[in-house]
Amino acid sequence: MTDLTSHAVDLDGSRSFRWIADGMAFGADYNPEQWPESVWAEDMELMRRAGVTNVSLAIFSWVLIEPSDGVFEWGWLDRMMDMLHEHGIGANLATPTAAPPMWLMRAHPEITTVDELGHRTAAGGRLSWSPSSATFRHYALRMVRELATRYRDHPALRLWHVSNEIGNENNVDYSPEAEAAWQAWLGKRYGGVAGVNQAWGTAFWGHTYGDLSEIVPPHHARTKHNPGLLLDWARFTSDSLLEHFIAEREVLREVTPDTPITTNFMILSEDGSEEYSGWAHEVDVLSNDHYTIGTDPLRHRELEFSADRSRGMAEGRPWLLMEHAANAVNWQQVNRAKEPGEMIRDSLSHIARGADGALFFQWRASTAGIEQWHSGMVPHSGGETRQFREVEALGAALKALAPAQGSVVEQAQVGMLVDEMSQWAIKASRLPTGLLKPLEMGRRIHKELGDRGISVDVVPSGAPLDAYRVIIVPTLYLAKDGVAEQLAQAVEAGAHVLVTFASGIVDETNRVIRGGYPGAFRDLLGMRAEEIRPLFEGETVALDDGTAASIWTELVEVGDADVLRRYAEGALAGQPALTRSVRGAGTATYLSYEPDGAGLEALVDELVELAGVTPVAAVDRGISVTRRVGENGSFLFLINHTQQDLTVDASGVDLITGEQHEAPAVVPAGRVVVLDERS
Ligand code: GLA
């Protein structure tokens, strides 16, 4: 068995666990139950070749473990756990609650979710259960306790993988049990019906409630529901799902206090139902599932944004990439195959941004079931394939990166505030424009900074801001209480803040802050916008620097801010468009429009210069660069996303190839170089 003691890691600040692997974790969801046991031996051999350290096991195995009510059969799982241990592979053992058995669904159809039209979810999918169902909770926790008790001392057990993507297919539920839980939740949050009426402004359209029992979930209606109600419904949904996770976690902690616990997040899904920034405090190690979208030409940039966001939620501590795809997925319109080399770049991009392991969905591509066309580490065509050779190369690279395990990404000079709550508030409202994409400005600015070799921490609001020279506030439509004050303090102390349009508009109840936009940040910015003037798709308005605005413009009035750019045509001609106030040692810039590419590049250049932000290393454009630092030294991750060789002004030994590089070091086209900067 591998020695884990030297890799102890403090995962949540108060509890300390051994890391789940001896070095970087590498592996996949493993579903051996889909295969005859004769295939298992071949799996072990292929896992050895690939250098697999961990597999996530039993995710959908409830019915195999408990084939009928209260009858538990452990044979195959016992054999598999033993086999993994014999081969030095750790188990991220799943509580199999993502897949309630057919016998349970039949005996208790009331455990399933109900959709907004009142239809009950039928058996045949997964995650069909309601987090508010007491009956489901009873059966689920019984299973969790049995499983934990069975394997509490098994040497293969490394990590608990609670359920699977909680909220993925059960993200909304309008069942009677959910309704009761919702009313209780509202009572607790607002102290009674009067508080709800006040918060949501229910005088509008005569929606005033006389009793909490009148507040039914937002079922299908001919108009959109109240924005305050919808925001609270999203909060309630997230809280209910989290409550289920905590219930499972508490059983696991009781039985196996020394085994770390996670549940796989889905950070970056724009219509996500989970407030992961809050959930992050409840897991021992943050794990995330990430899939690129084939049609997105900047998918590697989206990946970087998501990975930086995962690290931000983990408060900088190492996290785990629990799932990504070795090749194509099977749930997009056209499921693009990855280019040769792309999988390695993707996996190592997550590692470069703080992940201490890269796992896939799934080990072996299924032949049956709805995911039969989803890639696995082992394709249908087997181990003697281009794809599997790349898997082996990745495994070797991760093994070579063991010295970097436990290190953290160097403190960024730029912070960016991104909140799920703000995305939910946008979705819950009918805005001046339907073209506003909650994460668009954040991603665009993140990319611009990345192009310049500048590292960004993407953090939820409320995170400490003292370390940042620049703080980006992109489309933070809902400003949580206290954020404006925190930003004001950071600016006084010397930070340079950039607030973009559609920020600070509503408070935590999704009510517009009066007096002009961006309500929460007006004082800091020394300006106010009187009017929002959205543009049609394709419509642009020229600015006085020759660039153009699209989607959103505003009639801005400055107080003590300077005007940096003005609108140059139309109803706003001559009016301020980009402003900057000086406060203490810092500044606060307001961007009232969506800039074009050139406009954003110029703005980012100005800000970087103003704040004296420096790149991680001097790299050619096309290389993504980050640095991880830890007990074993300093590691410069260089990922060349282009088809030409590029250079970096740095030297050291490439951990992956063992090659010594002198400055300027070449990063070959499409390749990854990790320089050990000690050498
Ligand atoms: C999610 C799930 C997996 C699988 C993949 C397919 O991440 O957790 O079980 O369905 O999607 O991409």
Side-chain angles (χ1 to χ4, degrees):
M1 185 182 155
T2 46
D3 172 26
L4 301 171
T5 48
S6 59
H7 293 278
V9 64
D10 190 359
L11 296 170
D12 73 352
S14 58
R15 293 158 59 82
S16 166
F17 302 97
R18 291 171 174 184
W19 181 236
I20 63 168
D22 186 11
M24 295 290 177
F26 183 48
D29 286 12
Y30 183 35
N31 301 302
E33 68 273 27
Q34 294 179 12
W35 301 90
E37 294 199 18
S38 54
V39 176
W40 296 5
E42 186 190 322
D43 283 339
M44 294 301 123
E45 171 53 16
L46 289 172
M47 285 186 194
R48 187 198 59 73
R49 272 174 53 188
V52 165
T53 65
N54 290 72
V55 292
S56 302
L57 195 64
I59 295 178
F60 301 109
S61 307
W62 187 340
V63 74
L64 296 179
I65 299 169
E66 189 183 2
S68 57
D69 194 349
V71 176
F72 293 87
E73 288 181 5
W74 302 101
W76 72 273
L77 192 52
D78 283 354
R79 288 196 294 286
M80 177 45 67
M81 289 289 282
D82 292 349
M83 198 177 220
L84 289 173
H85 177 55
E86 278 159 30
H87 289 83
I89 295 169
N92 309 329
L93 190 55
T95 64
T97 53
M102 294 295 180
W103 58 256
L104 178 55
M105 309 270 283
R106 190 162 172 204
H108 292 287
E110 76 282 5
I111 67 171
T112 57
T113 52
V114 172
D115 73 10
E116 62 170 359
L117 293 169
H119 305 138
R120 272 223 179 258
T121 305
R126 61 177 178 182
L127 279 171
S128 43
W129 47 267
S130 160
S132 304
S133 164
T135 306
F136 176 73
R137 185 75 56 85
H138 162 78
Y139 280 95
L141 296 190
R142 184 177 74 179
M143 161 51 78
V144 172
R145 185 172 294 280
E146 291 285 336
L147 184 77
T149 306
R150 182 82 184 174
Y151 297 110
R152 65 199 300 169
D153 298 319
H154 199 288
L157 177 64
R158 299 292 155 79
L159 174 73
W160 287 114
H161 178 299
V162 169
S163 203
N164 189 61
E165 292 189 343
I166 298 174
N168 189 351
E169 286 98 354
N170 57 347
N171 62 352
V172 276
D173 175 30
Y174 297 79
S175 66
E177 277 182 284
E179 178 169 323
W182 157 241
Q183 288 162 355
W185 184 93
L186 287 169
K188 205 163 146 206
R189 184 173 175 88
Y190 293 107
V193 73
V196 181
N197 283 323
Q198 166 58 29
W200 296 351
T202 54
F204 181 84
W205 279 0
H207 288 166
T208 303
Y209 298 102
D211 190 85
L212 284 177
S213 62
E214 292 173 6
I215 313 180
V216 294
H219 295 274
H220 173 72
R222 298 297 278 268
T223 61
K224 192 156 179 154
H225 288 279
N226 178 301
L229 181 156
L230 289 176
L231 181 61
D232 273 335
W233 177 247
R235 285 189 178 107
F236 160 75
T237 298
S238 179
D239 286 358
S240 309
L241 294 163
L242 178 62
E243 187 188 298
H244 181 85
F245 164 74
I246 290 174
E248 289 201 26
R249 183 196 68 191
E250 290 309 289
V251 174
L252 296 170
R253 278 207 176 147
E254 187 194 320
V255 183
T256 57
D258 299 325
T259 305
I261 303 170
T262 193
T263 187
N264 44 343
F265 291 179
M266 299 169 280
I267 294 169
L268 214 72
S269 115
E270 295 219 353
D271 51 1
S273 308
E274 304 77 26
E275 194 183 24
Y276 288 132
S277 47
W279 290 37
H281 300 287
E282 305 293 345
V283 293
D284 294 325
V285 56
L286 185 148
S287 66
N288 192 41
D289 296 351
H290 186 270
Y291 292 92
T292 51
I293 302 296
T295 49
D296 180 355
L298 293 175
R299 55 192 170 274
H300 60 289
R301 293 302 200 189
E302 185 281 324
L303 182 161
E304 291 171 353
F305 182 73
S306 162
D308 285 350
R309 207 170 159 202
S310 303
R311 182 180 75 254
M313 289 187 196
E315 296 177 352
R317 284 187 291 276
W319 53 282
L320 181 64
L321 178 66
M322 187 63 90
E323 287 182 27
H324 66 318
N327 205 335
V329 296
N330 75 329
W331 42 262
Q332 295 174 17
Q333 171 68 13
V334 173
N335 296 293
R336 180 185 163 277
K338 291 193 175 183
E339 298 297 329
E342 187 175 345
M343 179 194 72
I344 293 184
R345 288 195 298 278
D346 282 359
S347 304
L348 296 184
S349 293
H350 290 283
I351 302 286
R353 285 159 201 272
D356 263 2
L359 280 66
F360 292 92
F361 175 82
Q362 62 177 331
W363 165 247
R364 203 179 256 284
S366 304
T367 53
I370 193 64
E371 294 187 317
Q372 63 187 163
W373 287 107
H374 195 293
S375 61
M377 289 171 82
V378 184
H380 289 149
S381 32
E384 304 311 320
T385 48
R386 178 205 69 79
Q387 188 191 305
F388 194 73
R389 280 189 287 279
E390 197 168 320
V391 164
E392 288 176 294
L394 175 60
L398 285 168
K399 193 167 180 196
L401 292 176
Q405 189 269 312
S407 65
V408 295
V409 173
E410 186 182 53
Q411 173 66 56
Q413 296 171 11
V414 180
M416 180 181 283
L417 299 186
V418 174
D419 283 340
E420 297 95 342
M421 197 72 75
S422 180
Q423 295 170 49
W424 294 349
I426 289 175
K427 209 174 137 202
S429 311
R430 274 197 184 159
L431 298 175
T433 171
L435 299 180
L436 183 71
K437 293 190 195 150
L439 293 176
E440 181 75 2
M441 280 311 297
R443 282 190 195 164
R444 286 187 63 197
I445 296 171
H446 184 269
K447 176 196 168 288
E448 284 302 324
L449 290 161
D451 281 349
R452 290 158 180 74
I454 294 168
S455 176
V456 183
D457 286 346
V458 183
V459 295
S461 58
L465 301 177
D466 330 342
Y468 301 119
R469 293 187 196 178
V470 166
I471 303 165
I472 312 288
V473 184
T475 318
L476 195 70
Y477 178 72
L478 183 157
K480 286 191 180 179
D481 295 345
V483 172
E485 292 73 12
Q486 208 196 350
L487 283 170
Q489 279 167 16
V491 170
E492 281 291 329
H496 299 274
V497 166
L498 170 66
V499 177
T500 78
F501 63 96
S503 292
I505 290 189
V506 297
D507 65 16
E508 292 207 18
T509 64
N510 213 0
R511 273 188 173 227
V512 173
I513 301 170
R514 286 192 301 159
Y517 322 109
F521 304 126
R522 276 193 321 255
D523 292 346
L524 173 66
L525 294 163
M527 50 65 64
R528 69 173 190 141
E530 290 174 40
E531 272 177 44
I532 295 165
R533 303 180 66 89
L535 303 177
F536 289 108
E537 201 156 12
E539 190 184 2
T540 58
V541 168
L543 292 144
D544 61 1
D545 66 348
T547 64
S550 63
I551 296 188
W552 188 287
T553 62
E554 290 173 351
L555 173 59
V556 171
E557 181 190 49
V558 282
D560 63 355
D562 295 329
V563 178
L564 305 182
R565 310 230 205 302
R566 291 181 184 273
Y567 294 104
E569 62 178 341
L572 294 176
Q575 300 292 339
L578 180 73
T579 66
R580 181 169 296 152
S581 65
V582 179
R583 303 272 180 265
T587 65
T589 303
Y590 182 62
L591 178 68
S592 71
Y593 59 94
E594 165 123 10
D596 63 14
L600 188 61
E601 283 201 27
L603 176 57
V604 169
D605 281 338
E606 264 172 49
L607 210 57
V608 164
E609 201 187 320
L610 176 71
V613 171
T614 49
V616 175
V619 285
D620 289 340
R621 282 226 174 179
I623 292 181
S624 294
V625 59
T626 54
R627 179 178 284 112
R628 289 184 63 157
V629 287
E631 280 176 8
N632 297 330
S634 165
F635 308 97
L636 195 65
F637 283 74
L638 300 149
I639 302 178
N640 184 345
H641 294 285
T642 75
Q643 291 171 14
Q644 301 122 39
D645 293 354
L646 298 173
T647 62
V648 53
D649 186 15
S651 61
V653 168
D654 180 2
L655 279 183
I656 298 176
T657 60
E659 220 177 293
Q660 170 78 43
H661 288 269
E662 301 305 332
V666 173
V667 184
R671 297 272 293 281
V672 181
V673 166
V674 182
L675 293 181
D676 179 344
E677 296 181 300
R678 291 169 304 182
S679 46

